[in-house]
Amino acid sequence: MKKTLVVATCAILAAGMALTGCKKDNKAGGDAPKADAKQMVLRYAENQAQDYPTTQAAYKFAELVEQKTDGRIHIDVYHGGQLGDEKAVIEQLQFGAIDFTRVSISPLAEFDKSLNVLQLPYLYKDAAQMWRVLEGDIGENFLKGVEKAGLIGLSWFDAGARNFYNSKKPVTKLDDLKGLKIRVQESQLMMGMVAALGASATPMAYGEVYSGLQTGVIDGAENNWPSYDSVSHYEVAKYYVLDEHTRVPEMQMVSKITWDKISPEDQAIIKECALESAKVERELWAAKEGASEAKVKEAGSVITELEPGEKEKFQAAMAPLYSQFGAGYEDIIKAIQSK
């Protein structure tokens, strides 16, 4: 009851801000233009830093919307988690306290269980297959699927592939993971994946991973190139294997409460801008991945690939997880795998 009251209060305050034109600076180094009486002022929550690809794409989205609506809609971007963590932001979108956001589908799956399908380990052969899925009918259906949670999916952002890394030895085959203590998110799916591969799943807060690797509390972890680089895990876990066990896309979305207040004409413009900003994000993400990869290699990280035939062994080990988390979605999984 208390939590609901707080979120509802936030919604009232947010509505008041939109009506009075109170705004956050929309771009780094620049003041947001003053709103006139007819301008709708909306808020976009982003938990990453200002220079991160998703944040820069959010700024681009806001810029495009203002341009293409002739100033009817102005969007303020709040970066760095100013409006709360991803789960809290999703809840505030449901109440209309926040208008737009970009979130990983991992926390979003708590609101729409079907999204767990897109997180199944070794679901895709490569990035190209994932984008064929997300940019087709399957991806559009998942965007529409969150409406039952009071959300409107607009477009997909890239978050790369997650890979294992450790402080002990190079990994080139399934047996190399056995017995290693691997940090994972507090997720039944991720813990199940690590256990199925013969390693020991160790849930741990993200901020504790560096010291955990340094002291030997854990032997390894898993994440994408930019994360491996940005928090300096490569300094204490130099063995990085390109197994690409999961590709967890991110969704750009809007509150249904906000959406229903916008004219059909401006809804179409917003959708168009969301798709355009998604292309920008993918380009920025690719550049950041490349820079991170080059940096850690220069620092001495040992990058390996799986030996021929090993990827199939990793995939086969996931059968129990597909039965557990893919139950009821077998046809969708087959459709994804056939792309």
Side-chain angles (χ1 to χ4, degrees):
M1 178 65 74
K2 184 176 179 181
K3 182 176 181 182
T4 302
L5 180 60
V6 170
V7 176
T9 301
C10 290
I12 294 170
L13 291 173
M17 288 176 67
L19 289 173
T20 59
C22 296
K23 296 198 265 185
K24 170 82 175 172
D25 286 355
N26 193 48
K27 290 188 177 180
D31 292 334
K34 293 182 179 179
D36 59 36
K38 297 179 181 179
Q39 187 179 61
M40 181 180 285
V41 181
L42 305 175
R43 303 200 301 169
Y44 190 121
E46 170 56 62
N47 72 344
Q48 294 289 355
Q50 197 165 51
D51 62 350
Y52 201 75
T54 55
T55 310
Q56 290 299 306
Y59 286 134
K60 185 64 177 179
F61 171 68
E63 175 189 327
L64 290 169
V65 169
E66 185 146 15
Q67 287 177 354
K68 295 189 178 187
T69 61
D70 297 322
R72 291 188 300 277
I73 298 176
H74 174 86
I75 300 171
D76 288 323
V77 177
Y78 293 76
H79 67 275
Q82 295 175 68
L83 301 183
D85 62 24
E86 287 185 310
K87 184 178 180 181
V89 165
I90 294 168
E91 291 171 343
Q92 291 186 72
L93 255 74
Q94 291 179 309
F95 283 88
I98 295 173
D99 305 294
F100 295 94
T101 194
R102 180 282 322 159
V103 296
S104 168
I105 63 170
S106 292
L108 190 55
E110 292 187 32
F111 300 83
D112 179 5
K113 297 297 184 186
S114 70
L115 288 168
N116 278 319
V117 169
L118 297 180
Q119 302 182 76
L120 287 170
Y122 306 105
L123 179 64
Y124 307 106
K125 293 187 288 288
D126 51 31
Q129 182 188 13
M130 182 186 77
W131 287 111
R132 286 196 298 272
V133 170
L134 296 182
E135 294 180 335
D137 291 341
I138 295 174
E140 189 62 29
N141 287 337
F142 276 110
L143 289 176
K144 292 177 180 176
V146 298
E147 185 171 351
K148 58 182 173 288
L151 310 164
I152 302 293
L154 295 172
S155 61
W156 297 101
F157 277 8
D158 197 1
R162 297 176 75 98
N163 301 287
F164 289 110
Y165 51 91
N166 77 92
S167 61
K168 299 296 185 182
K169 58 184 177 181
V171 171
T172 60
K173 56 186 183 297
L174 182 59
D175 285 346
D176 292 333
L177 283 175
K178 289 185 177 178
L180 291 180
K181 294 173 290 185
I182 303 294
R183 178 268 174 182
V184 293
Q185 300 161 303
E186 291 190 24
S187 156
Q188 292 299 316
L189 177 60
M190 296 303 290
M191 288 189 285
M193 175 191 72
V194 169
L197 294 175
S200 176
T202 309
M204 178 182 289
Y206 190 50
E208 298 174 5
V209 175
Y210 187 97
S211 62
L213 289 165
Q214 192 174 41
T215 58
V217 172
I218 54 174
D219 300 315
E222 51 83 43
N223 221 314
N224 54 42
W225 283 115
S227 296
Y228 178 59
D229 158 31
S230 65
V231 290
S232 301
H233 288 177
Y234 66 92
E235 295 177 349
V236 286
K238 71 176 185 178
Y239 301 106
Y240 192 94
V241 58
L242 300 174
D243 72 296
E244 299 184 341
H245 48 266
T246 54
R247 292 182 178 274
V248 182
E250 303 185 328
M251 189 183 293
Q252 191 169 215
M253 58 189 184
V254 59
S255 165
K256 188 176 187 304
I257 291 174
T258 301
W259 192 246
D260 290 342
K261 296 175 183 177
I262 297 171
S263 70
E265 175 192 5
D266 286 341
Q267 286 180 354
I269 290 173
I270 287 171
K271 177 70 173 180
E272 176 187 343
C273 295
L275 293 172
E276 191 169 338
S277 65
K279 293 178 181 178
V280 171
E281 191 273 343
R282 283 172 64 180
E283 292 173 0
L284 292 170
W285 181 266
K288 188 167 184 67
E289 276 192 324
S292 293
E293 181 179 357
K295 177 182 173 180
V296 301
K297 284 181 176 178
E298 179 66 23
S301 287
V302 178
I303 314 302
T304 57
E305 295 184 4
L306 296 178
E307 294 176 3
E310 285 297 315
K311 187 69 170 279
E312 290 74 15
K313 294 180 182 178
F314 278 68
Q315 291 171 326
M318 297 300 106
L321 272 73
Y322 275 61
S323 297
Q324 180 181 354
F325 293 96
Y329 303 104
E330 291 84 0
D331 290 344
I332 297 175
I333 293 171
K334 288 180 181 178
I336 290 172
Q337 292 173 329
S338 68
K339 294 294 183 182

